[in-house]
Amino acid sequence: MADLVVAHTERAQRRVGTSLRRGKYRLDRLLGIGGTSAVFAATHRNGKRFAVKLLHPELSSVDDLRERFLRDGYAANRVQHPSVVPVLDDDVDEDDGSAFIAMELLEGTTVAAEWHEAARTLSLPRVVTIADAVLGILVAVHESGIVHRDVRPGNVFVTADGMKLLDVGLGRLGDPARTMTAHALDPSQFVAPELAGEKTSEIDPRTDLYSVGAMIFTLLTGHAVHRASTPTDTLRLAATRHARSLREVWAGAPPPMVTFVDVALAFDREKRWASAVEMRTALGHALALSASRGAPGPVNPVLGPTGTVVVGRRSKKRT
């Protein structure tokens, strides 16, 4: 996989400074690489700046994938929510046939980058704020008949105006086992059992709710739901094993938050929160109960790699 990441990155870097569709878009800067595409900051010939997502050429040559990419990108435009990034244009490059879509160029950072810069743990209030925003967006996404399928910290973008959910409508293109990321968070860590096991008929909005639960788990503790050494192993465990309880990783976690996250991560989707609306309401209740019981605010106990419980800058051995 590392060789593939390098190859995609080198090819994408070579495209910086070049144009698409006879000068329609100039690719100014590489923003990121994924398993299916590269994203660039670009300038339209009229001077307006965009984010351009360019499907890798080898995938663009597959008719079904190219057509799905161009078609599904516009699914985001069905969602009536200001935090869903719309697709503004689509086309195919005349040189190598790479399909691309153009979107608003956002200023800010991803939650994945924020988490990484914060020493790989975020405070409970901050994580609740992120989860509440994501669930609010998912209410609108699901009401539009869309299952995102790729809810993760790298797809939540923090701007001065609030949070945005990226890649709405494009989740069906990704293969979690092969998806690459420039961040420290592996996308396979947030994949629900039915998606990891390729049980297509079982994928529904509760698939996204599992991902939100996994996101909360990791942002709070710095650990993935499943212990695994590779994305493939992570997916195998997600498809076959129940998730760890939040209490296993954070011994001092407020019981209401443990219950809330454990329900979200239920292996059986029928036992998860029934909808984004229900989960968002339950999140508010869990936070209120946690606060009433004196739950920690910005200090998060997390399990160190040697079995040490780290509390802020202090640490002690687990007993």
Side-chain angles (χ1 to χ4, degrees), residues 153-230:
N155 271 338
V156 182
F157 203 89
V158 184
T159 73
D161 299 323
M163 295 180 205
K164 304 275 189 177
L165 186 59
L166 309 180
D167 282 359
V168 173
L170 294 173
R172 289 196 303 161
L173 284 170
D175 176 356
R178 296 188 299 108
T179 301
M180 298 166 292
T181 177
H183 302 294
L185 285 168
D186 171 22
S188 66
Q189 296 174 7
F190 309 97
V191 176
E194 60 274 15
L195 186 55
E198 299 182 345
K199 298 179 180 178
T200 307
S201 63
E202 297 182 12
I203 294 171
D204 67 13
R206 290 168 293 185
T207 300
D208 289 341
L209 304 187
Y210 179 100
S211 298
V212 175
M215 213 169 66
I216 294 171
F217 186 107
T218 298
L219 294 177
L220 281 174
T221 69
H223 293 263
V225 170
H226 294 284
R227 297 185 185 94
S229 56
T230 68

Side-chain angles (χ1 to χ4, degrees), residues 10-142:
E10 289 178 346
R11 180 175 60 194
Q13 289 286 8
R14 289 194 298 270
R15 298 201 76 138
V16 173
T18 66
S19 296
L20 299 172
R21 294 305 301 173
R22 298 178 179 86
K24 185 177 185 181
Y25 293 96
R26 185 185 69 243
L27 304 180
D28 302 321
R29 179 165 53 96
L30 179 64
L31 299 177
I33 293 284
T36 60
S37 58
V39 182
F40 299 84
T43 303
H44 191 274
R45 61 191 171 206
N46 65 9
K48 185 173 176 60
R49 301 187 70 213
F50 291 87
V52 168
K53 182 182 285 285
L54 190 68
L55 192 64
H56 294 322
E58 63 273 17
L59 299 181
S60 290
S61 65
V62 180
D63 292 345
D64 178 61
L65 289 177
R66 182 182 64 253
E67 291 170 7
R68 185 188 303 173
F69 174 77
L70 296 172
R71 180 184 67 245
D72 289 0
Y74 279 102
N77 295 0
R78 301 204 310 264
V79 183
Q80 300 301 306
H81 197 287
S83 292
V84 171
V85 182
V87 172
L88 305 173
D89 190 16
D90 71 280
D91 215 325
V92 176
D93 184 49
E94 68 274 20
D95 291 332
D96 65 3
S98 293
F100 65 90
I101 56 177
M103 301 160 290
E104 174 189 4
L105 180 63
L106 301 175
E107 298 293 336
T109 188
T110 65
V111 167
E114 179 184 335
W115 171 86
H116 184 71
E117 292 169 5
R120 301 189 180 190
T121 54
L122 296 176
S123 70
L124 178 58
R126 179 58 178 160
V127 172
V128 169
T129 297
I130 293 167
D132 180 73
V134 172
L135 288 167
I137 301 168
L138 285 176
V139 170
V141 171
H142 295 162

